[in-house]
């Protein structure tokens, strides 16, 4: 995620970090060169494109803009819902940590909280398509005992079983066990929300139609602008291509908010925050450093 102060007028024009320009530079350049070629042809053969009316492009461009706004809103909703889900994970982890102080067995409490830290590491790796077990290995004392295809859920089941065992043994009261279970349920809900976002992309025909229409519009637009605008046509075509290709690329990034793109959620930083707070609650004095933005990018 890009973290930087509000840009001034000069940096708006020259800033590349966090801009989508680098990702769409080649496509935009191709449209610019095509527009230049068409202007050259128009100068050599005046009147070839005189009968190409710009009115259809105006209507198509308006419709395309509305269509793109709907898609980008849908993609941003997915990004924001993912952020709210990770916010819920932070809330539930903090609440579980605070309520776990009722567990008098210091070793067992530390094991439970370390398993909770293993859960957030495993969930982060799962959403990125990485190895869950490798990500959680250092936090789980009994990793081989956690079975199942969903390691994150298996960790929560194991923590829940241990809390139930403590309640049956009388080490914690029934209401405390219920409170701890509610926090585990909240973590399960947040995990399910993230998995739903990850496993359910926007309908492919919807995205494909938009991609095709953008390319068709940007390729055909120079034919309508060459005759009335002359050498100004490549400039305006470049602006239109930058806008449409840029919005399309931003939507692609926001559609999956759990990856490694610059505009994806900083889940590594959130995991590190929970890791630090859990270790601090356990009395550790040496905490891993909080993650800070590197070149304005917080991972």
């Amino acid at each position: 995620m890009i973290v930087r102060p509000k840009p001034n007028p000069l940096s708006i024009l020259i800033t590349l970090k966090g801009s989508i320009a680098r990702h769409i530079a080649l496509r935009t350049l191709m449209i610019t060169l095509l527009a230049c070629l068409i202007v050259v042809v128009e100068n050599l053969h005046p009147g070839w494109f005189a009968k190409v009316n710009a009115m259809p492009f105006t209507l198509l461009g308006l419709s395309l803009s509305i269509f793109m706004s709907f898609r980008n809103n849908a993609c941003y909703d997915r990004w924001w819902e993912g952020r709210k889900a990770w916010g819920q994970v932070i809330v539930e982890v903090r609440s579980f940590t605070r309520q776990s102080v009722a567990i008098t067995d210091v070793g067992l409490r530390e094991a439970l909280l370390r398993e909770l830290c293993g859960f957030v590491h495993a969930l982060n790796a799962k959403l990125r398509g990485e190895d869950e077990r490798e990500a959680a290995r250092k936090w789980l004392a009994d990793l081989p005992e956690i079975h199942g295809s969903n390691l994150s859920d298996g960790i929560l089941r194991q923590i829940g079983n241990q809390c139930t065992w403590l309640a049956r043994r009388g080490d914690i009261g029934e209401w405390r066990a219920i409170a701890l279970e509610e926090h585990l349920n909240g973590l399960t809900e947040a995990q399910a929300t993230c998995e739903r976002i990850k496993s359910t992309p926007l309908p492919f025909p919807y995205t494909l139609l938009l991609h095709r229409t953008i390319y068709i519009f940007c390729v055909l637009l120079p034919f309508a602008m060459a005759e009335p605008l002359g050498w100004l046509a490549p400039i305006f075509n470049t602006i239109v291509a930058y806008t449409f290709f840029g919005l399309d690329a931003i939507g692609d990034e926001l559609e999956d908010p759990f990856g490694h793109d610059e505009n994806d959620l900083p889940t590594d930083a959130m995991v590190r925050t929970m890791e630090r707070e859990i270790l601090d609650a356990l009395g550790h004095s040496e905490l891993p450093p909080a993650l800070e933005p590197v070149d304005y990018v917080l991972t």
Side-chain angles (χ1 to χ4, degrees), residues 57 80 108 113 153 165 184 233 271:
F57 293 94
W80 181 240
L108 180 57
L113 294 184
D153 185 60
W165 175 74
L184 295 178
V271 168

Side-chain angles (χ1 to χ4, degrees), residues 115-163:
E115 288 174 3
L116 198 61
C117 198
F119 161 79
V120 295
H121 278 274
L123 178 60
N124 188 31
K126 176 183 177 66
L127 296 174
R128 289 180 168 178
E130 299 171 355
D131 190 344
E132 295 178 76
R133 293 186 174 273
E134 186 62 31
R137 184 176 302 278
K138 65 175 288 188
W139 300 100
L140 304 179
D142 302 319
L143 185 65
E145 296 184 6
I146 301 178
H147 301 288
S149 58
N150 193 331
L151 178 63
S152 305
D153 185 60
I155 295 173
L156 294 182
R157 287 200 308 269
Q158 180 160 299
I159 296 175
N161 291 338
Q162 290 170 314
C163 291

Side-chain angles (χ1 to χ4, degrees), residues 19-97:
S19 169
I20 207 68
R22 291 180 298 174
H23 302 283
I24 62 173
L26 181 59
R27 285 174 283 177
T28 306
L29 177 61
M30 295 302 295
I31 296 299
T32 303
L33 294 177
L34 175 63
C36 292
L37 176 62
I38 293 175
V39 171
V40 170
V41 173
E42 170 64 21
N43 289 334
L44 294 176
H45 303 279
W48 274 25
F49 307 122
K51 296 183 179 180
V52 180
N53 196 322
M55 181 59 67
F57 293 94
T58 303
L59 298 177
L60 179 58
L62 179 61
S63 302
L64 186 57
S65 300
I66 297 174
F67 189 33
M68 291 187 68
S69 69
F70 281 125
R71 178 177 181 267
N72 278 56
N73 284 339
C75 292
Y76 179 78
D77 285 343
R78 294 167 60 86
W79 185 91
W80 181 240
E81 188 177 12
R83 180 60 185 89
K84 290 192 293 184
W86 271 96
Q88 183 179 357
V89 170
I90 294 175
V91 170
E92 301 296 352
V93 166
R94 287 174 175 169
S95 300
F96 188 98
T97 302

